[in-house]
Amino acid sequence: MIISGKAVKFSDNVDTDVIIPSKYLVLLDPNELARHAMEGLDPGFYEKARRGVILAAGKNFGCGSSREQAPIALKYAGVKCVIAESFARIFYRNAINIGLPVIECENVSGRIADGDELMVDLENGFVKNLTKNATFQATKLPPFIMQILKDGGLIENLRRRLGVK
Amino acid sequence: MNITEKILAKASNQKTVSPKEIVEANVDAVMVNDLTGPLAVDSFRKIGAKKVWDPSKIAIVLDHLAPASSEKAAELHKILRKFAEEQGIPGLYDVGEGVCHQVMVEKGYVKPGALIVGADSHTCTYGAFGAFSTGIGSTEAAAVFATGKIWLRVPETIRIDVVGLFHSYVTPKDLILHIIGHIGADGAIYKSIEFTGSAVRRMSVEGRMTLCNMVVEMGAKNGIIEPDETAIKYLRLESAEMVKSDPDAHYEKVLEIDVSSLEPQVACPHSVDNVKPVSDVSDVEIDQAFIGSCTNGRIEDLRLAAQILRGKNVKKGVRLLIIPASRMVYLQALREGLIETLMEAGAVVCNPTCGPCLGGHLGLLAEDEVCISSSNRNFIGRMGSVKAKIYLASPATVAASAVTGKITDPRMLEA
């Protein structure tokens, strides 16, 4: 899977309360959730993300609550992939389970600027910064996680494995 | 193997497991709440499964917005009641039963050696009883509803040996805040934290739950404490699987902490690892004080608060909110006369719920307001306005601060 798009930068420890504030957790429609994505840090994020972007963040992205609404809000807002130096584990699992690609890439934060054109190769585990003409090694996803992403998320993956027509 | 590895090995039908290995484990219990459950129900339907794998192993707790704080919240509750009925799930804990992590323990889902997952990040609390427990998302909970299984990466383990005697009014909350300040918000990502040592052995179950509850604030997968008589007694079990770490178990790192010199700790805005001794922040004026949540809403916490507030008054202009973690805790507090003491001091006592901890309801913050809270997170906007400030502390420090109107060392108030 190859993903391309412009970078939107965030710093370390972006928590799920800023990704999607708890007052919106009563919303069940993913498109409604998306309108409030990142509202805690950047109220203009939704407009920015709609054209399709790649988030590039520092350490511990998605820390805090288990709310799956966090990766859902990002995905439906237009985020195609999240690159971070590390992820909080529940966010990481949730993102994969709902079919939002995530990739760990060491020391990436200082080497990507807001607006840089990026290309992510998930299978081969690298990130290219086309604007700066640089390539960074990332952590390859294990095959079974890659398969969940290829299926489009855990629901589709399970349907296939359980033989649900 | 250490205790976490042993539980994961057994749950995946293997003799041994090692860190970084990925196992498919059988789940002993799964929990969802009113904010994560409806999404799990939706995913369950989309998976196309007709019946849950074992209705007796599923707990549904209506706690985050209980009683319903809005029409939309009422709809969420309705979805869950209907799902429980349709699937024959006996474990639907409706409005008023309490905060999910307290309810899970009180209702018998938590046992030493069990593997428990829950769609709530503080599911790691049950490690206090020697269970492996960790937080997951809604779709993953739906997958567990359907299959009873989950994939887990065997974590590396950090062991923390805690020794020494706590000063009076210094609590396990101060200890865990101190540890988080030391390890950092991302210092234990994907890892297990095992608490050992004489101070942990002497610690009440409530205190152990507070320790394990907050390991997720360092990114940890689970926190765990070897089960002992104290834990078994609290669970009212006649017998239990007393799983213990082997003497030659492997640890990535071993830390030792002596609590004898520990003073009350406060996590300052807007990060749980921004921890300072209370003396460094004792001039900060507060608007609200909150005692409750899955971290510190248990009977021991209310006793401590009542001890400090007995015969005193909450400072004019300050709101003190007290939320017992469960119906059982509330009833116990009533029987002990604690509620009367707290009310007489000027506290507002609300029904068991997560409430203001996550900015759900019952005590949100306005712009520029300051709250000191016994809960677990002080992120931007967590309890209401993105311009509010949250300080995290023990119930003793919160109660003392409510009396003076500024962040206060509870030992100073006593003197």
Side-chain angles (χ1 to χ4, degrees):
Chain A
M1 285 170 89
I2 308 274
I3 301 158
S4 303
K6 269 198 164 65
V8 177
K9 271 289 293 283
F10 286 98
S11 57
D12 292 342
N13 299 319
V14 171
D15 63 73
T16 54
D17 277 274
V18 295
I19 297 175
I20 184 77
S22 62
K23 61 184 164 188
Y24 302 119
L25 298 181
V26 293
L27 302 174
L28 293 172
D29 179 353
N31 293 306
E32 274 188 74
L33 283 169
R35 292 186 167 276
H36 305 287
M38 286 291 178
E39 203 175 274
L41 284 182
D42 177 6
F45 179 80
Y46 177 66
E47 285 306 319
K48 217 183 279 178
R50 276 171 69 191
R51 295 179 293 278
V53 294
I54 294 177
L55 292 199
K59 291 176 193 159
N60 203 21
F61 187 87
C63 60
S65 109
S66 70
R67 59 189 70 165
E68 196 168 291
Q69 290 91 336
I72 290 174
L74 294 178
K75 183 181 170 180
Y76 283 81
V79 174
K80 296 197 276 188
C81 177
V82 185
I83 307 168
E85 291 178 7
S86 62
F87 288 91
R89 55 167 288 278
I90 309 179
F91 179 90
Y92 186 81
R93 293 178 78 110
N94 282 344
I96 289 159
N97 288 337
I98 61 133
L100 172 66
V102 280
I103 190 159
E104 272 190 350
C105 191
E106 272 182 27
N107 302 320
V108 76
S109 195
R111 300 187 285 183
I112 295 175
D114 219 41
D116 282 358
E117 285 289 346
L118 304 179
M119 193 200 86
V120 181
D121 185 331
L122 286 177
E123 257 137 337
N124 296 308
F126 66 82
V127 173
K128 263 190 178 170
N129 186 334
L130 303 171
T131 306
K132 294 194 165 60
N133 198 20
T135 303
F136 319 120
Q137 200 64 42
T139 308
K140 263 197 217 178
L141 296 169
F144 82 100
I145 289 185
M146 202 59 230
Q147 189 58 52
I148 297 174
L149 281 176
K150 278 185 181 166
D151 288 340
L154 184 62
I155 292 172
E156 293 76 10
N157 177 266
L158 262 184
R159 283 179 71 90
R160 194 172 52 74
R161 287 196 286 145
L162 298 173
V164 180
K165 292 261 155 38
Chain B
M1 288 189 289
N2 62 44
I3 182 169
T4 292
E5 292 160 355
K6 281 188 179 178
I7 296 172
L8 290 176
K10 192 178 170 216
S12 57
N13 299 313
Q14 297 190 71
K15 282 209 173 70
T16 60
V17 295
S18 316
K20 293 188 181 162
E21 191 179 334
I22 288 169
V23 298
E24 186 167 56
N26 293 310
V27 170
D28 293 307
V30 57
M31 183 274 297
V32 296
N33 62 46
D34 49 347
L35 287 183
T36 58
L39 201 49
V41 170
D42 186 52
S43 292
F44 181 78
R45 305 224 191 277
K46 285 179 181 158
I47 289 166
K50 295 281 174 282
K51 291 302 262 178
V52 298
W53 112 101
D54 186 341
S56 71
K57 292 181 174 175
I58 297 172
I60 301 173
V61 188
L62 311 189
D63 62 351
H64 279 58
L65 301 176
S69 55
S70 66
E71 223 175 298
K72 282 202 161 70
E75 289 296 335
L76 300 182
H77 291 177
K78 199 170 147 188
I79 290 169
L80 292 172
R81 289 188 193 106
K82 198 175 145 214
F83 182 72
E85 195 186 336
E86 163 202 309
Q87 293 289 330
I89 296 167
L92 182 280
Y93 301 98
D94 216 312
V95 169
E97 284 304 324
V99 177
C100 54
H101 305 305
Q102 186 63 21
V103 170
M104 287 294 282
V105 172
E106 290 172 359
K107 302 295 179 186
Y109 292 91
V110 176
K111 290 186 182 75
L115 189 148
I116 305 164
V117 293
D120 187 285
S121 59
H122 293 107
T123 301
C124 50
T125 308
Y126 324 141
F129 302 91
F132 173 91
S133 59
T134 193
I136 58 173
S138 297
T139 295
E140 208 147 37
V144 177
F145 287 178
T147 67
K149 292 180 195 301
I150 189 165
W151 70 264
L152 293 166
R153 179 180 171 281
V154 179
E156 295 89 352
T157 302
I158 299 172
R159 197 180 81 202
I160 303 181
D161 297 339
V162 190
V163 298
L165 293 170
F166 283 98
H167 277 237
S168 63
Y169 296 117
V170 181
T171 70
K173 177 62 165 286
D174 300 298
L175 169 62
I176 191 66
L177 289 178
H178 172 72
I179 291 171
I180 295 167
H182 179 71
I183 291 183
D186 66 338
I189 291 184
Y190 310 129
K191 297 182 204 299
S192 171
I193 295 187
E194 185 173 329
F195 297 99
T196 59
S198 56
V200 174
R201 284 298 135 221
R202 278 192 296 270
M203 199 179 284
S204 67
V205 162
E206 286 91 343
R208 296 177 191 186
M209 287 174 78
T210 303
L211 285 189
C212 292
N213 173 275
M214 286 195 75
V215 300
V216 67
E217 313 310 334
M218 300 173 265
K221 173 178 259 173
N222 72 314
I224 201 157
I225 295 171
E226 278 183 359
D228 60 9
E229 281 307 311
T230 310
I232 302 307
K233 213 174 134 193
Y234 190 91
L235 296 174
R236 296 194 183 87
L237 292 173
E238 283 177 10
S239 66
E241 185 191 350
M242 303 296 268
V243 52
K244 292 191 185 303
S245 294
D246 293 327
D248 63 347
H250 176 75
Y251 295 95
E252 186 190 84
K253 199 163 30 174
V254 178
L255 304 173
E256 190 179 298
I257 295 175
D258 186 342
V259 295
S260 312
S261 55
L262 189 69
E263 69 168 293
Q265 306 284 303
V266 179
C268 302
H270 295 284
S271 160
V272 186
D273 61 357
N274 185 16
V275 177
K276 294 176 182 161
V278 67
S279 48
D280 283 13
V281 285
S282 53
D283 54 343
V284 175
E285 293 193 356
I286 59 162
D287 300 287
Q288 180 167 299
F290 168 49
I291 297 174
S293 83
C294 58
T295 308
N296 279 117
R298 284 174 276 276
I299 193 69
E300 185 179 273
D301 303 317
L302 302 186
R303 282 180 192 141
L304 197 54
Q307 197 179 326
I308 286 171
L309 287 157
R310 189 164 290 122
K312 298 194 180 70
N313 288 308
V314 172
K315 175 97 172 173
K316 193 171 159 50
V318 173
R319 318 173 290 266
L320 170 63
L321 310 179
I322 307 239
I323 303 194
S326 71
R327 181 191 300 278
M328 277 177 71
V329 170
Y330 200 146
L331 279 167
Q332 181 69 26
L334 273 171
R335 289 181 190 120
E336 293 184 17
L338 306 178
I339 300 294
E340 193 177 342
T341 302
L342 296 168
M343 291 286 287
E344 276 175 355
V348 179
V349 181
C350 307
N351 65 281
T353 174
C354 303
C357 167
L358 77 154
H361 62 154
L362 300 176
L364 274 65
L365 302 172
E367 261 188 37
D368 303 323
E369 283 193 324
V370 176
C371 178
I372 185 160
S373 172
S374 78
S375 58
N376 44 54
R377 288 188 180 133
N378 57 357
F379 300 153
I380 293 171
R382 172 80 178 177
M383 295 178 79
S385 168
V386 293
K387 290 186 177 156
K389 291 196 178 81
I390 306 162
Y391 292 82
L392 305 175
S394 77
T397 303
V398 175
S401 305
V403 172
T404 63
K406 55 185 189 177
I407 295 178
T408 298
D409 184 336
R411 299 172 302 178
M412 303 299 284
L413 194 68
E414 248 342 83

